[in-house]
Every structure is written in structure tokens, then in C-alpha cells.
Amino acid sequence: MDAKTYNAALAELRADRDEIKKVRTALAKLEAARDKKIRALTGYEKASADRIAPAAGLSIGDIVKIAPVLAPASLTAAPDGTVDEAQQTPQAPAVETGPTHDAALAPAGAGHTAAPSAASAKPERQGAPGAGAPAPGAVARELPAIAQGEEGDRWFAHTPNLASTHPNFTQQARSTVFLDTTTGILVHRDQTLRLNLPDTSAATILQAVFHAVPEGTERIFVTAGDPWHHQAEQHPFLKDAVAAWLNTPIPGWRTDTGRGKDRMAGHFVHPRHPVGRYQSDNGQYHVEIRSVREWFDAEGADPTIVRDAFVLLWKALRAHWGDAVLMGSPSQTGRDLWTRTIPTRGQHADGYPVLSEELRGLLHATAGQGRTELITPPRVPDKLPALVEYDRTFAYAKHTWKSPVGTPRRITAATFSAWSEKEQVKALYGCGHWHVRVTVPDTWNHVGILPAPAPGDRAWHYPAAPGTTFTTWAGGPEIYTALTNPIQPWRIEILDGLLWDDGKPLDDWSKKLKEAWSTLAAQAQLHGDPAQRQAAHLASRAVRSLLLYGIGSFAQRPRTVTGTTPRTHERDVPPDAEIIGFTDEQITWQRPTGFSRDPNAHPEWAAAIWSGARAALLSQRMREDNTYVGALHAPPGTVVAFRTDAVYLTAPQNWPYHGQPGDYLHKGHLAGPIPAPTTEDELLALRDAGRAALKQTATATTGQA
């Protein structure tokens, strides 16, 4: 083959690729429409997977994956003859507890009722669909373990010359404007202007803003309009529409490639909160377009109120950080503020070292975030007597008082077994991340407690079927809850683990944010001007985002870089990149870059907080009221769903609320009978209706008073 033939073949290959992309897009639309019809069929009480499967041209297993409620009984039964995991893993000690909430922990045979040995443990099986279990036929993810022997021992170290330290510079504020792309209202400092926006393309926005603000701006916050969705109907997925909006060529502008120490170069493709980064061809201007919804839901507020919210936020933070600067996102800002609480003298003056890449990778794979679970019939009634929402106020702030510090120790099954009961109790109540084998009690009749890997990237479910045995990783707070819950202790066997010293690296940062939040929340209640009350409310929500997303940023996920390449330079696309879109002018691609040398990467902190928050959804002590709250303190069969900080029940609970971080706020109440939700969309629709109904009831009650 000569060069001419080779190049001609490449051209044909590109044409084939483009045609395949178009066909796949059309196929994705057809499959989405088909799946929607299948889910709609579940509304018929006699609908069955075996009737729908041939009509859809799918297997029964495929139908059940799309609509788990259609799972036939023969598929939900536990399989017989499953290989006993105990025969494949070295026997580990059983951790037992007595029946009371304050019972001590003990190794097997140490005085409490003897548990079955690891060798006699029940076969590993999953709970039935509706319990957060994967659909029948699906293969659960297998979580990684610590490498055996010296190789695993080498993981227990820190990355050389990489630590979080107090910054020696001051962040520079960026000129910011606030734009409602629906109305064209633009707020710049104390000026309010109305722009003429014939369309909402990035080119039109940049041209209009820089015409109205000739001296230039560095950040455009879109308060309403979501311009990146304006051609969503032309794409199968929102992310495709966003990528097309960001990457449409703009005369006089190009994608910003970064400057100085700014690592936030290039566009960030996100379906709802994208970031467009542009620089003028002459290099004079650098500007980013981003959504204010990264910070809070503007709730219909005009750009002036949104601007006032950011001013109030900045003032509240300045009361605690004299050098506070609001950056583009709450995660950037929150983490920057945290670095300014790192001690410069005394303990930790040298900073907080970053764990080895192996341990960071292990935590990334084994530490989930918020609990999201929908429990469907028959575990809840087909018709719910009510749907009551309880949402934990500023929840993560409740779990920052203690965090792991230093280099963790490896605690093997043999080491744990050799410890005294007191040492085991201290370890499990401390800052640890544990590889465990779990058995649900044979008479269990409530929701699951510990997360287990489910099919899908980073997906988790919560087995609750009696007698289920599974292997997973979990944090200390969840292990504690499983062992001391108010119903019945679960059987926990320690296989391996990480154990850190207790410390307070986030305590000062969190306290300052909580004080700023309290100040703004009080203004939102007491200010005489309704507009300022709304601005203060939005600012208090922004403080919540600072802590929430600041904690998330510590997790440091492996990064994916998105880029564009002109079609005329197609050979310059990185060889490991995945092409995610293209036009006649350019190709959009993304590729994984792994873990960066981020000095503020501390997934151990995020994992500990997330574990504490998930545990508090189940059981939390209200000290001043001397009572317990959470899902496990509601009657069996009344829990409908969990969503990160919220739990949805079929009946109201007498849970005290003082407006403090972690308290359960009665946020929604929809009277029944209500069809039990079977999809997330149905749950969210009922949630919104419940919030509106409770608000209406509160307004009516206030009016009568």
C-alpha cells in the first residue's frame, strides 16, 4: 500500500466513523423511547416481564434491568449452590455485640452469644430488587483489596514531597458580572443593564457582555436561562448539547489554555453546570462563563439579588478570613479557605502529607458518597398513606469535628483478632476504613445498613434481605451503626483495614463556615427588606456549598480532560482519547489523566465524613433531647427512599428540630393515598409536590394565627 492509498483509506474510515456516530445517536433515541414505554407499562397491574420481553425484542433479564418492579419471583430467589466465600478467604474473627445500644464489642467467643464461624457463614447472595439490589442477572462490582505481603505494606506511606500547606499568596479577585440570559438583564457592580440577545450562543453572550462592559470582565455568572441547553433537542444527551455549545467556534476567541499557575484550563463539560473558558485571540482578555447553580438554586431571583447574595457571602467570610476571595466554584473557594486554616506553627505546621497513590486509589474505589436508594413494593405499600420528607440541615458540617491524620496503620484480620475487646472497640470507633464480610441477621425486617458494590461505575446498594452475606468496605461510623443499631446487631468480620490517628484538620474551617452560615441564616429570617432576606438566604445556601463541595474536592477523583482538535489536524488527537463529539470544523474528545500531584488531595477526610453522614441517616443521637432519630427509629416498612441528606417516610415522626447542623428538618408532606414511586423521576415529582403542600399548609396556619 502506498501513501496515497493509505490516506484515501483514512478518509473513508473517517466517513464511516461519522456515519456510525449518526446511527448510534438515532439508535440511542429509539432505545430511550423504548425504555420509557416499558417503564410506562408497569402502570398496568397485570404487566409481566415475560409478555413485554418478546414485544420489545429483549430478554426477560433486560426487561427487569429497565423496570426492576417487573422481576418475577423465580428471578428474585437466592441462587442455590453459591460458592461459600469463606472457603476462598482466610478465616477472619467475628466481631460480636450484645443486644443493647451501648453493648461492648468483642471477638468471637469472648463472652457474648457465639456467632457462627466464618466457615459456616451463609453463601453470599444479594437482596431482592427494591432493596437497592442489582437487577437479576447483573454482575456486581468486585471491590479491590490491599495487596498481600510486602507489596501491600508499601502502600502505607505518603507521596514524597507532597503536602497541604498554608498558602504564601493572596488570591486575586476577578471582575464578575451576573447575567439572566432569558431576560437579558446584566448586573455589573452597581449597574443594571439590559442586553439585546438575539440568541444564547456563547458568541452572542461574549459579544454583548464585552460591548456593555468595554473594560472587560473575567467571569460571567449565568443566573437563569441555561444557554448551553438551547439546542438540547438536537442531541441524545444533555452532555452532547453542552459540548456542542462550548466548542462552537467564536470569531476573535479561542479556548483558554490557562495562564500562570491557573490549572483550570479548557472547557469543563458538565450536563448542568458546565464551564466555558475563553481567551481573546490577542490575549488581552480571559473570561469564563459558568452557572450560578454551582453555588445555589437562584429560585427565580433576579441578577441584582444574586449579586447581593455574593456580596453578603463575601462579607460573612471576611469576618473569619481577612483574605477571603470568592473564586469561580464553591469547591475551589472552600478548599482555598481551608488551606488558610492550616497551622503555620506547632503541630502540623509542616502541613498534611498526601497519601500514597495506591491508598488514594483504594479509597476512590471503595468509599462511596451519599446514599441514594429507592425502596419499592412489596417492601413498601403499593399505595403510600403519605410521603414525608426529612432533610438534615447543613448535614456534613455535623461530621467534621474528627478526621484521620498521619500515616494509617494496616490492621489485618490476624492483628484485629489478637487485640483485646477494649482495643477492638477503640479501633472500630476511631478513624478507620475497613474491609469486612457482613451478614444480615436472619430476622432482619428493616432497611440495609452497610453499602455493597452494585453493577455500574461507583454504584452501591444496601442489602437488607435476612441472611444475606456480602463483602465490602465501610467506614467506622457505619460499622458502629451495624453493631449497635436499636433493632439487632449485624455480624461483622474484619478482613483488613486502615486505621489512622484521630485529628482535627477540618474543625477550624468548619466552625468558621458554620458561624458564617448562622449569621446569614439569621439575616434571612430577620432582615426588614424582603430582597435582602432572599439574598441572605441564597448566601447561606452558598456557605453550605462551600463545605459540601469543598469536602468533595478532597476526594480528588482521577481526572478526565476534555479537549478539541480541528478536523484538519485529526492526527493530533491523543491516542488514548475517546471522541465524544464532532462538527464539520472540529473534534471533541476526552481522556483520563489519573491522579494529579494535588497537594490538597485527602480522600481519607471525604470518606470519613461521607460514612458519618450515611450512618446518621440511620441513627443519630440528639444529646440535648436525650433521644435518637433516623430511619432505623421509624417503624419497619415506612422508609421509602434516601437521597444523600434526606429520608422519605410514609408517616411523620416526632423528631426534635433546633435548626442546628445535622438536625432533621420536616421539609415536605404529601397526604395519601399516593402510588409508591418506582423511579427517581416519580420520587422527585412527589417530593416537589410534598414541599409545596407543606409550605401551603404552613402559610395557611400562619394566616389563621
Side-chain angles (χ1 to χ4, degrees), residues 272-289:
R272 301 195 181 277
H273 307 307
V275 182
R277 299 186 177 95
Y278 305 93
Q279 66 180 97
S280 57
D281 285 343
N282 60 13
Q284 182 179 359
Y285 299 116
H286 296 256
V287 62
E288 60 183 16
I289 303 175

Side-chain angles (χ1 to χ4, degrees), residues 4 13 39 76 108 195 208 216 258 283 299 393 441 477 701:
K4 183 178 180 180
L13 195 59
R39 285 189 287 268
T76 62
L195 306 184
E299 301 174 1
T393 297
T701 302

Side-chain angles (χ1 to χ4, degrees), residues 338 400 403 504-511 551 554 605 609:
W338 170 74
T400 54
S403 302
K504 294 182 176 292
L506 304 176
D507 194 44
D508 186 32
W509 173 68
S510 178
K511 284 179 178 177
I551 290 169
F554 289 127
W605 297 347
I609 292 168

Side-chain angles (χ1 to χ4, degrees), residues 71-106:
S74 60
L75 286 178
T76 62
D80 293 325
T82 307
V83 176
D84 188 345
E85 188 181 342
Q87 299 173 5
Q88 302 173 319
T89 308
Q91 182 170 328
V95 177
E96 293 250 347
T97 173
T100 64
H101 195 86
D102 297 320
L105 303 170

Side-chain angles (χ1 to χ4, degrees), residues 626-676:
N626 193 29
T627 189
Y628 287 89
V629 298
L632 290 178
H633 300 276
T638 63
V639 181
V640 178
F642 297 93
R643 281 187 62 80
T644 308
D645 300 332
V647 59
Y648 297 81
L649 308 170
T650 61
Q653 305 296 311
N654 188 27
W655 293 345
Y657 181 76
H658 307 292
Q660 296 300 310
D663 286 3
Y664 278 88
L665 172 65
H666 185 195
K667 198 169 185 177
H669 194 137
L670 189 62
I674 309 163

Side-chain angles (χ1 to χ4, degrees), residues 134-359:
V139 179
R141 278 183 357 273
E142 182 176 347
L143 297 180
I146 303 172
Q148 296 299 313
E150 294 183 0
E151 180 185 353
D153 293 339
R154 283 195 293 269
W155 294 11
F156 289 77
H158 286 101
T159 302
N161 304 315
L162 193 64
S164 307
T165 56
H166 195 286
N168 57 4
F169 64 93
T170 301
Q171 289 287 356
Q172 297 300 308
R174 295 191 178 186
S175 173
T176 302
V177 300
F178 301 87
L179 174 65
D180 182 332
T181 61
T182 302
T183 63
I185 295 176
L186 176 78
V187 174
H188 175 233
R189 297 178 181 166
D190 58 351
Q191 294 181 304
T192 300
L193 310 168
R194 185 178 291 273
L195 306 184
N196 179 23
L197 298 176
D199 59 61
T200 56
S201 66
T204 299
I205 291 173
L206 288 175
Q207 181 180 1
V209 169
F210 276 80
H211 182 267
V213 187
E215 65 269 31
T217 185
E218 296 176 278
R219 183 176 297 129
I220 301 171
F221 268 131
V222 175
T223 65
D226 294 341
W228 32 81
H229 293 163
H230 80 294
Q231 291 185 336
E233 70 282 354
Q234 300 178 17
H235 301 271
F237 303 105
L238 275 182
K239 196 169 184 179
D240 294 336
V242 170
W245 186 88
L246 290 170
N247 293 306
T248 299
I250 303 175
W253 295 86
R254 62 180 184 270
T255 303
D256 197 341
T257 55
R259 50 194 165 130
K261 295 183 178 180
D262 186 4
R263 298 179 183 176
M264 306 302 291
H267 301 316
F268 174 60
V269 182
H270 186 280
R272 301 195 181 277
H273 307 307
V275 182
R277 299 186 177 95
Y278 305 93
Q279 66 180 97
S280 57
D281 285 343
N282 60 13
Q284 182 179 359
Y285 299 116
H286 296 256
V287 62
E288 60 183 16
I289 303 175
R290 59 195 315 151
S291 172
V292 79
R293 290 184 184 175
E294 291 182 84
W295 293 83
F296 47 72
D297 182 350
E299 301 174 1
D302 63 51
T304 302
I305 291 178
V306 174
R307 185 272 318 273
D308 290 347
F310 276 89
V311 172
L312 290 174
L313 172 64
W314 177 76
K315 289 180 178 179
L317 296 175
R318 279 275 172 152
H320 303 283
W321 287 275
D323 54 355
V325 170
L326 298 183
M327 303 171 72
S329 71
S331 61
Q332 289 174 280
T333 308
R335 200 159 67 160
D336 178 72
L337 293 175
W338 170 74
T339 64
R340 297 174 191 279
T341 65
I342 297 174
T344 55
R345 291 185 295 179
Q347 189 180 18
H348 305 301
D350 294 333
Y352 295 98
V354 172
L355 294 177
S356 68
E357 186 166 331
E358 290 84 0
L359 286 186

